[in-house]
Amino acid sequence: MNNYLWNTPEKLRALLCEIVSWESRTLTAGENEFAYKLKTMLQTLSYFKENPNQIELHDAGLGRNAVTALYKHPTATETVVLISHFDTVHTEEYGELEPFAFYPEELTKKLMEPKYKKDLPEAARIDLESGNYLFGRGTMDMKMGLALHMQLLEKACIEQWPINLILTAVPDEEVNSAGMRAAVVELVRLREQHGLTYKLFLNSEPSFSQGPSDINEYIYSGTIGKIMPAALFYGKETHVGEPLKGMTANYIASYMTQYMEWNPIFRETDLGESTPLPVSLQLKDLKMEYSTQTPYRAAALFNVFLMKRTASEVMEIFEHVAKEAMAACNMHYKEICERERVKGVGEVKVLRYETLLEHAVNKLGVEEVQCIKQKVLKNNAWDDREKSIRIVDQLMIRCQELTPATVLLYAPPYYPAINSSDNALIIKSIELMKETAKSFNIEIEQIHYFNGICDLSYVNYADDENDWGAFERNTPVWGDTYSIPFEAMTALKGPVLNVGPFGKDAHQKTERLHVDSAFKEMPVMIDTLIKSLI
């Protein structure tokens, strides 16, 4: 007789609380340990005791691992890939409640105490008092999705469903998606090794409320893309007592920021949905200490969301905007020089990183350029974004004949947009989910692009023109500390769908999960979905 471990709402809730207690904040030891704990737990299932080699760990760098667990029916080739991530954002915002952040039952009870309850936003307090929510870091985003997949995998194993499932749980989704980028290559290998056909890529990121009072639930037939155009601004240094003998990078950067922030030229609209407008994520000068030398190098990162555009198309628009911004900068600077009767330091040029790199190689040689890059890459205190900026900075220091200039580049991460709204299987599945939801007296609405950014970006990728090459050529850390397996992604053909539990306030101290949605409704919804594919 088979004993189910996770087949009731109570057991599923206990499972969630256990895996949430395995704290796995991004870039911590907990994130590194989580994969091993998950593997050990999955090995308690009889199927994996008999087939231990079908649970695998895959190196995702920095001691992290992605986990795949393959349930393979003897006669089935059609396969559903179940995607989730197990890293979480950090927890400082919990304050004195931080020790409880990874213990949902305890935290939820603690929040009921008057001294904590009074500090909650009204919407969170109402939800807490309703008893219908479980609070805690990772409850919503997104360990409940992983728990649902574990429950589904157990049922398939015990009941011998005539379809294959690959549970794919990855680290690092919250920063660079190193886990999913590593898993993509392994999913291609598993497909070839076992003769699989990928029928569906199913993620279970949570359904996000669209406002404080929104209690609707959503399913998503795609995911929005994100790319990060960046710029290094290189002016001319001078003493503050002789300001017009130089040009501050901050002055140059101010024009680019004005032209980039909220610029509607970057907005895309598809299927009645639109991308948020671009904003700056970072703007800083690169001086390491205070002095009366003016800041002549600065950098900016900009967030741009995607639906249809490629990296090549975004770079073209980015360059167009940069030229407009620098034209305005140069015009105003010329007026100042004429007013003050000085010659000035010249007009600010616009060039792409690939152009700078070619110039530097011609001037310095391949070996010297590689030496410059490697010195930056060895600095472990800098992340991929900082390393990208510093590589450009160091090359410009050696190529000052190009200054003053604005150098355009890409900084990681890059999430391509993926959409399967017109796929026949997805259309049918969404109708099924809506009908199933009605049995719980709830309405499910479809959103075409999941706007929380997710790992579905790395499957079912299509780029017939190889437009991703613009990203490769203009990303300074490409091939060293960051890369994207574009060829493997194009090989993972199959529609995408996101069906997950309802929750609120991801990445906030009031992160919470709707209990009925998570433990009663979603198990039936996802079970029904998978069985419809058999």
Side-chain angles (χ1 to χ4, degrees):
M1 181 176 177
N2 290 299
N3 294 316
Y4 291 85
L5 299 175
W6 309 312
N7 66 325
T8 66
E10 295 74 22
K11 290 179 180 179
L12 188 58
R13 182 167 177 153
L15 170 63
L16 171 68
C17 290
E18 181 169 0
I19 62 177
V20 167
S21 74
W22 304 344
E23 73 88 5
S24 51
R25 290 166 288 186
T26 310
L27 297 174
T28 66
E31 182 186 28
N32 294 358
E33 294 162 3
F34 190 98
Y36 295 95
K37 293 177 179 178
L38 178 59
K39 179 180 179 181
T40 298
M41 179 173 277
L42 291 172
Q43 285 173 328
T44 63
L45 300 180
S46 298
Y47 178 84
F48 292 112
K49 288 179 181 177
E50 297 169 5
N51 300 277
N53 294 332
Q54 287 175 214
I55 301 178
E56 299 181 64
L57 300 185
H58 311 287
D59 180 25
L62 302 178
R64 302 164 299 186
N65 285 278
V67 181
T68 57
L70 168 64
Y71 158 71
K72 188 174 189 307
H73 187 272
T75 63
T77 58
E78 291 189 336
T79 305
V80 177
V81 180
L82 307 171
I83 297 171
S84 64
H85 71 85
F86 54 75
D87 65 313
T88 72
V89 295
H90 285 248
T91 52
E92 295 89 344
E93 70 273 19
Y94 284 87
E96 63 182 76
L97 287 174
E98 189 173 14
F100 299 93
F102 295 106
Y103 299 92
E105 303 288 7
E106 292 87 341
L107 177 63
T108 304
K109 290 177 184 176
K110 200 78 177 170
L111 288 171
M112 289 295 291
E113 295 179 13
K115 73 178 214 173
Y116 298 119
K117 188 195 293 187
K118 68 180 176 61
D119 292 330
L120 290 175
E122 182 181 9
R125 179 180 54 77
I126 291 170
D127 286 346
L128 174 69
E129 292 174 342
S130 74
N132 291 329
Y133 286 84
L134 194 61
F135 288 68
R137 175 63 80 239
T139 52
M140 173 196 180
D141 185 15
M142 70 159 294
K143 288 182 178 176
M144 189 62 226
L146 172 57
L148 287 164
H149 293 174
M150 293 171 71
Q151 183 193 62
L152 197 68
L153 186 67
E154 178 188 43
K155 290 169 73 174
C157 291
I158 290 175
E159 298 168 14
Q160 298 182 359
W161 293 359
I163 192 169
N164 307 316
L165 301 179
I166 303 179
L167 182 146
T168 306
V170 302
D172 190 51
E173 190 266 358
E174 300 291 0
V175 179
N176 281 334
S177 281
M180 190 61 194
R181 287 184 286 117
V184 161
V185 177
E186 300 302 330
L187 288 171
V188 173
R189 177 186 60 79
L190 286 169
R191 185 191 63 188
E192 301 305 314
Q193 180 181 339
H194 295 281
L196 309 176
T197 300
Y198 290 146
K199 191 174 183 106
L200 176 68
F201 293 94
L202 177 66
N203 203 348
S204 290
E205 288 272 11
S207 171
F208 283 81
S209 62
Q210 303 298 297
S213 61
D214 180 21
I215 58 171
N216 293 322
E217 298 191 29
Y218 303 95
I219 51 180
Y220 308 84
S221 48
T223 184
I224 201 168
K226 166 193 162 70
I227 198 165
M228 195 143 59
L232 180 112
F233 311 98
Y234 203 112
K236 174 70 172 69
E237 77 281 3
T238 186
H239 188 281
V240 292
E242 299 179 299
L244 289 172
K245 284 191 174 181
M247 178 186 287
T248 68
N250 297 350
Y251 179 78
I252 304 170
S254 69
Y255 286 89
M256 189 67 173
T257 302
Q258 288 181 63
Y259 275 71
M260 280 297 296
E261 290 265 7
W262 310 319
N263 191 332
I265 196 173
F266 288 96
R267 178 190 280 138
E268 290 190 69
T269 299
D270 187 41
L271 300 169
E273 298 172 12
S274 296
T275 58
L277 295 172
V279 293
S280 58
L281 287 176
Q282 189 177 76
L283 176 62
K284 63 178 183 177
D285 69 63
L286 301 186
K287 284 179 66 175
M288 303 299 285
E289 68 286 314
Y290 170 80
S291 74
T292 54
Q293 182 190 59
T294 56
Y296 62 98
R297 296 127 63 218
L301 303 177
F302 301 99
N303 189 86
V304 172
F305 285 113
L306 312 168
M307 284 180 172
K308 295 291 188 181
R309 286 176 180 150
T310 64
S312 178
E313 291 170 322
V314 172
M315 181 55 77
E316 291 286 343
I317 297 170
F318 187 45
E319 186 174 45
H320 169 75
V321 171
K323 287 180 177 178
E324 284 190 331
M326 293 309 104
C329 175
N330 290 329
M331 181 184 70
H332 293 148
Y333 177 66
K334 182 180 178 182
E335 291 172 356
I336 293 168
C337 289
E338 290 174 351
R339 184 192 71 201
E340 300 297 325
R341 299 181 181 178
V342 297
K343 181 180 179 182
V345 300
E347 291 194 342
V348 182
K349 306 175 209 46
V350 175
L351 62 152
R352 297 187 186 190
Y353 170 72
E354 59 186 304
T355 303
L356 167 63
L357 183 61
E358 181 181 6
H359 179 90
V361 167
N362 290 335
K363 178 182 179 180
L364 306 172
V366 173
E367 187 174 331
E368 180 64 16
V369 169
Q370 282 301 314
C371 183
I372 292 169
K373 289 182 67 175
Q374 288 304 315
K375 187 174 180 180
V376 172
L377 293 168
K378 288 177 181 176
N379 190 328
N380 294 327
W382 290 341
D383 65 13
D384 283 341
R385 285 147 294 282
E386 190 68 24
K387 288 175 180 177
S388 299
I389 291 166
R390 294 291 175 173
I391 287 171
V392 180
D393 179 45
Q394 291 302 306
L395 291 178
M396 283 298 292
I397 287 173
R398 299 290 295 274
C399 299
Q400 293 186 39
E401 63 276 8
L402 298 176
T403 65
T406 293
V407 184
L408 310 182
L409 61 140
Y410 277 130
Y414 172 32
Y415 290 81
I418 302 295
N419 188 269
S420 297
S421 295
D422 61 353
N423 180 273
L425 177 63
I426 297 303
I427 294 170
K428 178 182 175 183
S429 297
I430 288 172
E431 288 306 309
L432 176 64
M433 292 295 90
K434 289 181 176 180
E435 286 301 312
T436 306
K438 288 179 181 177
S439 65
F440 296 103
N441 295 316
I442 59 174
E443 294 288 331
I444 291 280
E445 296 182 25
Q446 177 187 2
I447 291 180
H448 297 284
Y449 289 92
F450 177 74
N451 59 4
I453 307 172
C454 78
D455 283 331
L456 286 176
S457 283
Y458 299 106
V459 299
N460 204 33
Y461 179 72
D463 184 359
D464 296 334
E465 302 299 322
N466 291 329
D467 279 345
W468 58 267
F471 185 83
E472 176 182 349
R473 294 190 302 273
N474 290 288
T475 302
V477 296
W478 181 268
D480 294 305
T481 61
Y482 185 84
S483 61
I484 298 175
F486 287 108
E487 291 185 7
M489 287 156 53
T490 59
L492 289 177
K493 294 300 182 187
V496 304
L497 190 62
N498 191 100
V499 182
F502 179 74
K504 297 181 181 179
D505 293 354
H507 297 193
Q508 299 179 46
K509 66 180 180 181
T510 48
E511 177 181 350
R512 58 199 183 274
L513 177 72
H514 192 276
V515 170
D516 286 346
S517 173
F519 306 122
K520 296 179 181 178
E521 298 162 10
M522 274 301 124
V524 174
M525 299 270 291
I526 296 179
D527 181 282
T528 302
L529 172 62
I530 300 301
K531 286 180 176 176
S532 74
L533 305 177
I534 297 174

